[in-house]
Amino acid sequence: MQNELLQYTLRLGDNALILGQRLAEWCGHGPILEQDIALSNIALDQLGQARMLMQYAAELKGSESTEDKMAFFRDVTEYNNLLLLELENGDWGKTIARQFLFDTYNYFLYTELLNSKDDHIRAVAQKAIKEITYHAQWSAEWVIRLGDGTEESHERIQNAINDLWEWSGEMFTMDAIDEAMLKAGIGADLNKIKADWHEKVSMILDMATLEKPEADWFQSGGKQGEHTEYLGFLLAEMQHLPRMYPEASW
Amino acid sequence: MVLSENQIWQWLEDVSDPEIPVLSVVDLGVVRHVDINHDHPIVTITPTYSGCPAMNEIEENIRKKLKEEGLETIEVKTILSPAWTTDWMTENGKKKLQEFGIAPPEGSSADKSVLFGKAKQVTCPKCKSTNTSMISQFGSTACKSLYKCEDCKEPFDYFKCI
């Protein structure tokens, strides 16, 4: 049970950390100042949530474990984030599409986790849901703005949604860890979230004059540590300093 | 000297938020409890936003202030639950924000209209006009959004209600 809780916490933490790192790549490169700041703000929220979860994971793991060891000294196969979040940023449309698909999921997920029987997960959820609510609203508004914008913006956001769709199914796959956590009243029922997610995503895509893809085959593996080639490069950049100078501190 | 909780609360009024220096950590509502255990103060704080970069500095500044007042062993604890809300900001804090040029949070965090895309009516801290509009939901720090006043044309920060 302890091990399943550790894995579950790491999955949540890894999602937050990897997405935070990807969004941080935008810092200084946003199309306009306000949106550059918006992405950095969202990245910072994700990093903050990742820290709260990694601290808890380190506590569960015990011995010499720390949040920094969790973040900087695990390798690709030990990361449990969703594949969707490690993909490269691409253009603005792809970044927005990824954010929208994930924020909507994350909003419903953390809403469920508000009732978690685990005190720490519940406390993180109470904190995080306030931030995620703002993220979800922001990315949904951008999907509508791009979809219902110019011919160019419409085409680019539609292509981004189409390209990313096959990476979205993994959010709802329940494996043994998810089942155990649901049974223990700690984790969320991903089937329930799937229904809520589809309803919200359909509504926003409709408002954005975009088509909802119909593909029913999905990529998977991230939650179990099987990743795309992109994650290694991301980790190399994120981890090189603490690995080169393990005693480095601010 | 017998140490009292009231005395510590009073000292904490002098510890300001590093990002919004007009507010003390007490005005902001990040100090949740002050306890005394055998003459040693235990100050419990909670982060405003999970990624708030000011938290470490706030902790350090609390230690520094209490050391200056002659206290030796000081414990500062961080708790996550209950999650911080703008409802904990003191009236005095809201007034100070307004005078500093930042619009204070409007209404209560229980109002979920923002979830449904409804913008709040925010008053311009400069000319008090309510004819204002949001430029961006995300501002100079995690806790603020960016607004502009349609009457006096000034852009200003709005402290988000969470």
Side-chain angles (χ1 to χ4, degrees), chain A residues 207-222:
Chain A
M207 286 168 78
T209 70
L210 294 166
E211 297 287 329
K212 189 176 172 196
E214 277 176 12
D216 56 0
W217 180 85
F218 297 105
Q219 301 274 3
S220 64

Side-chain angles (χ1 to χ4, degrees), chain A residues 34-35 37-39 41-42 44-45 47-49 51-52 107 119-120 122-124 126-128 130-131 133-135 137-138 141 200, chain B residues 47-53 56 80-85 109 114-115 117-118 135-143 146 160-162:
Chain A
E34 285 79 5
Q35 299 314 325
I37 291 170
L39 283 182
N41 263 276
I42 297 171
L44 192 59
D45 288 342
L47 182 64
Q49 291 164 20
R51 284 194 60 187
M52 301 190 299
Y107 175 76
D119 290 343
H120 199 101
R122 194 174 61 246
V124 172
Q126 284 170 1
K127 185 95 216 112
K130 294 171 182 246
E131 296 157 2
T133 302
Y134 275 102
H135 305 168
Q137 198 199 335
W138 177 85
E141 281 175 5
K200 176 84 194 282
Chain B
T48 51
Y49 281 74
S50 6
C52 178
N56 284 348
L80 294 178
S81 176
W84 182 81
T85 154
S109 64
V114 64
L115 286 181
K118 292 206 185 81
I135 298 174
S136 175
Q137 224 173 68
F138 297 93
S140 54
T141 63
C143 51
L146 197 56
K160 278 191 280 209
C161 212
I162 67 165

Side-chain angles (χ1 to χ4, degrees), chain A residues 48-63:
Chain A
Q49 291 164 20
R51 284 194 60 187
M52 301 190 299
L53 290 157
M54 301 264 165
Q55 281 161 8
Y56 186 43
E59 196 184 308
L60 290 169
K61 189 149 187 241
S63 63

Side-chain angles (χ1 to χ4, degrees), chain B residues 110-149:
Chain B
D111 176 6
K112 294 283 181 282
S113 59
V114 64
L115 286 181
F116 304 100
K118 292 206 185 81
K120 296 215 178 207
Q121 194 178 57
V122 174
T123 309
C124 169
K126 294 259 188 321
C127 73
K128 314 288 179 258
S129 162
T130 51
N131 184 17
T132 59
S133 58
M134 186 169 74
I135 298 174
S136 175
Q137 224 173 68
F138 297 93
S140 54
T141 63
C143 51
K144 289 177 274 170
S145 9
L146 197 56
Y147 271 70
K148 69 173 170 192
C149 176

Side-chain angles (χ1 to χ4, degrees), chain A residues 2-237:
Chain A
Q2 181 86 351
N3 185 50
E4 278 130 353
L5 178 58
L6 171 63
Q7 290 305 315
Y8 194 77
T9 306
L10 277 175
R11 286 178 180 182
L12 294 171
D14 290 348
N15 281 348
L17 183 64
I18 298 302
L19 180 60
Q21 177 73 13
R22 274 289 180 229
L23 292 177
E25 290 173 14
W26 270 102
C27 185
H29 301 275
I32 51 170
L33 185 60
E34 285 79 5
Q35 299 314 325
D36 194 293
I37 291 170
L39 283 182
S40 305
N41 263 276
I42 297 171
L44 192 59
D45 288 342
Q46 296 293 356
L47 182 64
Q49 291 164 20
R51 284 194 60 187
M52 301 190 299
L53 290 157
M54 301 264 165
Q55 281 161 8
Y56 186 43
E59 196 184 308
L60 290 169
K61 189 149 187 241
S63 63
E64 301 282 290
S65 211
T66 65
E67 57 174 309
D68 280 355
K69 277 193 185 154
M70 288 290 172
F72 298 125
F73 292 90
R74 277 184 304 141
D75 233 320
V76 172
T77 53
E78 294 162 288
Y79 263 82
N80 305 303
N81 58 283
L82 296 168
L83 298 173
L84 172 73
L85 306 178
E86 70 200 41
L87 302 179
E88 291 180 311
N89 284 331
D91 64 5
W92 182 252
K94 192 170 171 193
T95 295
I96 293 294
R98 179 185 62 199
Q99 199 65 29
F100 167 64
L101 298 176
F102 179 70
D103 283 345
T104 308
Y105 163 76
N106 220 23
Y107 175 76
F108 290 120
L109 174 65
Y110 274 80
T111 302
E112 291 294 307
L113 294 180
L114 289 173
N115 301 317
S116 174
K117 283 194 179 141
D118 184 89
D119 290 343
H120 199 101
I121 300 246
R122 194 174 61 246
V124 172
Q126 284 170 1
K127 185 95 216 112
I129 193 69
K130 294 171 182 246
E131 296 157 2
I132 295 168
T133 302
Y134 275 102
H135 305 168
Q137 198 199 335
W138 177 85
S139 52
E141 281 175 5
W142 265 100
V143 167
I144 296 168
R145 182 182 299 197
L146 294 175
D148 195 18
T150 65
E151 213 173 292
E152 170 86 11
S153 72
H154 178 92
E155 192 187 326
R156 287 223 211 171
I157 188 76
Q158 182 70 66
N159 287 343
I161 298 272
N162 294 348
D163 288 348
L164 291 179
W165 199 257
E166 68 181 83
W167 306 92
S168 69
E170 190 187 10
M171 300 190 284
F172 312 110
T173 54
M174 303 253 324
D175 67 1
I177 291 172
D178 290 311
E179 296 286 358
M181 287 294 101
L182 175 61
K183 210 169 150 210
I186 295 172
D189 181 357
L190 298 177
N191 290 316
K192 178 175 183 293
I193 293 171
K194 185 179 180 181
D196 292 338
W197 184 86
H198 273 281
E199 193 185 330
K200 176 84 194 282
V201 165
S202 301
M203 187 186 92
I204 298 293
L205 290 180
D206 212 37
M207 286 168 78
T209 70
L210 294 166
E211 297 287 329
K212 189 176 172 196
E214 277 176 12
D216 56 0
W217 180 85
F218 297 105
Q219 301 274 3
S220 64
K223 287 162 74 164
Q224 292 80 25
E226 293 161 25
H227 291 277
T228 68
E229 64 269 38
Y230 303 114
L231 185 62
F233 292 101
L234 182 149
L235 292 183
E237 182 166 351

